[in-house]
Amino acid sequence: VVDLDIVEKPRWTTEFGGGWNSDRGLTARVGATDHNLLGRGISLGFRGRWERDFVQGRLVLGMPPKPGGRFSAGLNASYTEDVLPAEAEGDLVINENIREATLEGRYRIRQGLWSRGYYRFTRTRSFEEDPFDPDFPFDITIDVAVLGGQIVTDRLDNPFDPRHGYYLGFDLSWADEALGSDKENIRGLLTSSLATEPHPGWTWFQSLRVGAAKPFNGTLDRQSRFFAGGPASVRGFKLDSVGPVEVIGDTTLYAGGEALFVLNEELRFPVWQSLRGAFFFDAGQVWETWSEADFDLSVGAGIGLRWSTPIGPLWFDAAWPVANPGKNSGARYSFGIGRTF
């Protein structure tokens, strides 16, 4: 005997979040999603994020799989206004206006294993807010169109506060003029995480990211480069400050590169009821190319607090640069809700 209970999918979900970090101060996030648009299980949502020098709005349309099916599709579009992080304040401020649209399809191979294919078009305008030379203002627009694929196995027991399991994902993308791109390149990113319990109530969480990119016509565009440094990367370092720099006018900007290595190690231990402490160690580097890679890594370390709540884990970190600090010095702080990295 088989009993079936059929219920209508809940319509609306609203989201609110926020945080604070030493790089950009307060962060606010909002979202609203209709999960049953037109009564067909289609989802349409809006996501907004605001920080100092950063504003982003995103629309997400999701097409669920048919009953018993494994294929789903989605379309999302976003607009971002950003100020590029620099070593110090100067006369020159470089802004980025980014318009992006992505069409994707996702196929569930089995529980915890899925693949994804996508086409993404990005138009980035980089310009001076107050031109250093009014006769020759810096104002560049670049279109980048990529075709990519991703395969992921996710065995973490909790997406926001994992205690056991692992995650492994690989993303490979290709940009070409035939796709509508001004730039041609190939780019790959390997991401892995592992959560174990070395002692009852303790969690050892590890994460590794390795990336490589290769341009085929000129230099690699900024949106395809890799960056490291900041609250979700090498903590104790300014946002995107790890790796190469470039000088434009009076401003030294963090330039990113074609090669990435970031390792995060964090040990979480019980303090009182749902409150836990954390010791962490991060090491990473960005190089212009993998041929220039060495063992001169930027290293940060620190302490933190993790508080499990019904709406997700709240966390606070204090981190310091330990090795290869560059222009970084002193402690950097961050506070937020959700996963730390």
Side-chain angles (χ1 to χ4, degrees):
V1 176
V2 178
D3 292 330
L4 298 177
D5 290 331
I6 301 175
V7 297
E8 187 175 3
K9 190 175 183 179
R11 289 291 304 268
W12 288 94
T13 298
T14 56
E15 305 168 24
F16 301 93
W20 181 90
N21 64 74
S22 297
D23 292 312
R24 284 182 161 168
L26 291 174
T27 298
R29 292 182 176 88
V30 296
T33 302
D34 182 353
H35 296 281
N36 197 16
L37 187 68
L38 305 177
R40 299 294 182 180
I42 300 171
S43 63
L44 177 64
F46 168 78
R47 302 286 186 277
R49 176 182 165 193
W50 172 88
E51 297 178 349
R52 184 181 66 219
D53 298 332
F54 182 95
V55 178
Q56 184 182 76
R58 182 181 296 273
L59 286 174
V60 181
L61 177 67
M63 303 288 291
K66 294 181 179 180
R70 299 188 177 190
F71 178 80
S72 58
L75 173 66
N76 69 75
S78 67
Y79 175 74
T80 305
E81 292 184 357
D82 192 10
V83 175
L84 301 187
E87 284 190 347
E89 294 184 3
D91 295 333
L92 187 64
V93 176
I94 302 296
N95 288 359
E96 278 191 340
N97 290 353
I98 305 169
R99 294 171 173 85
E100 182 177 288
T102 303
L103 177 64
E104 64 179 34
R106 176 170 166 168
Y107 182 79
R108 183 177 63 85
I109 301 171
R110 61 173 183 268
Q111 185 67 31
L113 177 64
W114 51 271
S115 61
R116 170 177 169 258
Y118 61 89
Y119 171 82
R120 182 173 63 242
F121 180 85
T122 306
R123 173 165 292 172
T124 304
R125 180 191 173 207
S126 304
F127 61 97
E128 301 173 64
E129 186 175 81
D130 185 12
F132 179 76
D133 185 350
D135 294 327
F136 298 95
F138 178 80
D139 195 332
I140 299 173
T141 299
I142 296 177
D143 293 342
V144 178
V146 303
L147 193 64
Q150 184 182 30
I151 187 163
V152 170
T153 177
D154 188 350
R155 296 292 183 177
L156 294 174
D157 61 341
N158 188 302
F160 302 107
D161 188 16
R163 309 293 181 96
H164 301 277
Y166 66 90
Y167 172 97
L168 183 63
F170 180 68
D171 187 293
L172 182 66
S173 62
W174 167 62
D176 192 88
E177 291 182 355
L179 302 172
S181 181
D182 294 333
K183 295 289 186 176
E184 296 183 345
N185 64 66
I186 188 169
R187 184 181 190 270
L189 177 64
L190 174 68
T191 305
S192 63
S193 300
L194 176 65
T196 58
E197 188 178 35
H199 187 273
W202 293 52
T203 303
W204 182 16
F205 192 71
Q206 308 170 74
S207 177
L208 174 67
R209 279 164 286 175
V210 179
K214 177 67 176 178
F216 297 128
N217 63 341
T219 59
L220 195 67
D221 65 281
R222 188 175 181 86
Q223 300 304 316
S224 300
R225 299 176 195 172
F226 296 103
F227 294 86
S233 180
V234 183
R235 288 165 285 188
F237 288 73
K238 290 181 180 180
L239 183 66
D240 297 343
S241 65
V242 175
V245 298
E246 61 181 340
V247 179
I248 301 177
D250 292 341
T251 302
T252 301
L253 299 174
Y254 304 124
E258 300 175 12
L260 169 75
F261 174 87
V262 174
L263 174 67
N264 304 106
E265 300 281 352
E266 182 168 297
L267 182 64
R268 303 164 187 166
F269 53 90
V271 175
W272 178 73
Q273 294 187 355
S274 60
L275 181 66
R276 291 177 294 162
F279 296 116
F280 56 82
F281 166 92
D282 303 326
Q285 190 57 267
V286 175
W287 300 276
E288 290 189 6
T289 64
W290 268 110
S291 63
E292 301 178 14
D294 53 28
F295 291 99
D296 189 18
L297 302 179
S298 295
V299 178
I303 57 176
L305 291 174
R306 311 284 182 260
W307 182 28
S308 298
T309 73
I311 60 172
L314 296 173
W315 55 269
F316 169 80
D317 283 340
W320 293 263
V322 175
N324 195 18
K327 296 294 184 66
N328 293 277
S329 62
R332 306 197 72 77
Y333 305 98
S334 54
F335 168 81
I337 183 171
R339 277 180 63 170
T340 51
F341 58 88

